């Protein structure tokens, strides 16, 4: 078998004809001249009339072969598409407007889901920003074929901090599949309203349970958008126990002590015990175990809340 035949078989592009394989000495890479199969449609599933030659030949980064980078090179004429107007003709090996092949995009997106973007960029020999753009392309392509919000019945609502300086993201989780179905860069009523706008009235009516923390803005939006359609609010997460969560910094369990004059030391001691309250009972140090003895004697409500938390943890275990 000739070297050219081997290269043709190792290419990841489908419905593609390889014409010439050469090494670019300047770029130190392998360049494969290709063209779409004659039966390949040009745009939107139907042939489109030729418009002009566009910018001539283009290159698309493909998966590396050993230590050599590989590029596919082909003409990129423009066609007059009935749906998109004058645009570059579609090619079977890459998404529209992308500078990488579909195989390269899929590999980079999978790696980004398993490790950090920096590691992915280093292994794929590309930039950090390029990895982010690839992930966005792959997700957008998948979302066009799959409706993540269809059939939701039990959802979890939460906000996570992803950077210092009070940077938050609003996250929606489907409890049936244990997968994230919606995210927004920010938090507050406007973002939660945006989720229900995307969900639509019909899908919102299908919600049976919602889980969230004790934030007032979440409860207000749920009462306006979901509760009146039959969805029952259930605060089940750790934050969802609200101001009654053991060790929570909220004032629910500490307010009585604050109202008592001369009881500041007791309130401070209760606040300092929250890290111990979060730990598993089997992992407590001697000093923390002694703290629990003190809590049982001076704060029966807090001690009972901790026992409920441990019982719930035992159920899930």
């Amino acid at each position: 078998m000739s070297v050219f035949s081997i290269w043709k078989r190792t290419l990841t592009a489908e419905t593609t004809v390889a014409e010439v394989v050469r090494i670019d000495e300047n770029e130190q890479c392998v360049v494969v001249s290709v063209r779409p199969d004659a039966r390949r449609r040009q745009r939107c599933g139907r042939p489109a009339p030729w418009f002009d030659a566009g910018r001539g030949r283009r290159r698309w980064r493909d998966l590396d072969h050993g230590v050599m980078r590989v590029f596919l090179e082909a003409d990129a004429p423009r066609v007059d598409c009935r749906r998109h107007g004058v645009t570059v003709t579609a090619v079977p090996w890459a998404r529209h407007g992308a500078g990488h092949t579909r195989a390269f995009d899929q590999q980079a997106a999978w790696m980004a889901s398993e490790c950090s973007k920096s590691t992915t960029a280093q292994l794929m020999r590309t930039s950090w920003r390029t990895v982010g753009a690839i992930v966005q392309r792959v997700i957008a392509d998948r979302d066009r074929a799959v409706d993540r919000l269809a059939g939701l019945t039990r959802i979890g609502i939460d906000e996570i901090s992803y950077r210092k300086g009070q940077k938050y993201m609003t996250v929606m989780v489907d409890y049936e599949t244990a997968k994230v179905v919606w995210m927004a860069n920010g938090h507050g009523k406007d973002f939660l309203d945006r989720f229900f706008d995307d969900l639509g009235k019909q899908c919102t009516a299908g919600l049976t349970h919602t889980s969230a923390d004790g934030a007032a803005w979440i409860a207000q939006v749920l009462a306006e958008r979901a509760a009146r359609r039959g969805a029952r609010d259930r605060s089940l997460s750790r934050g969802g126990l609200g101001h009654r969560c053991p060790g929570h910094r909220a004032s629910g369990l500490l307010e009585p002590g604050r109202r008592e004059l001369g009881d500041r030391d007791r309130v401070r001691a209760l606040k300092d015990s929250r890290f111990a309250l979060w730990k598993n009972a089997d992992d407590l140090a001697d000093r923390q175990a002694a703290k629990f003895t003190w809590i049982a004697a001076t704060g029966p409500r807090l001690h009972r809340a901790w026992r409920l938390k441990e019982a719930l943890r035992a159920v899930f275990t």
Side-chain angles (χ1 to χ4, degrees), residues 145-167:
V146 178
D147 186 3
R148 299 187 183 184
L149 302 181
L152 292 179
T153 57
R154 299 187 301 159
I155 62 172
I157 307 171
D158 201 1
E159 53 187 7
I160 61 173
S161 175
Y162 67 94
R163 186 179 298 174
K164 293 182 179 179
Q166 302 298 318
K167 299 292 185 178

Side-chain angles (χ1 to χ4, degrees), residues 36-47:
D37 188 275
R39 296 169 293 181
R40 180 71 180 181
R41 300 290 186 178
Q42 290 178 308
R43 197 81 204 147
C44 299
R46 64 181 64 185

Side-chain angles (χ1 to χ4, degrees), residues 47-58:
W50 186 85
F51 188 81
D52 59 22
R55 297 183 180 180
R57 296 184 70 79
R58 289 181 54 190

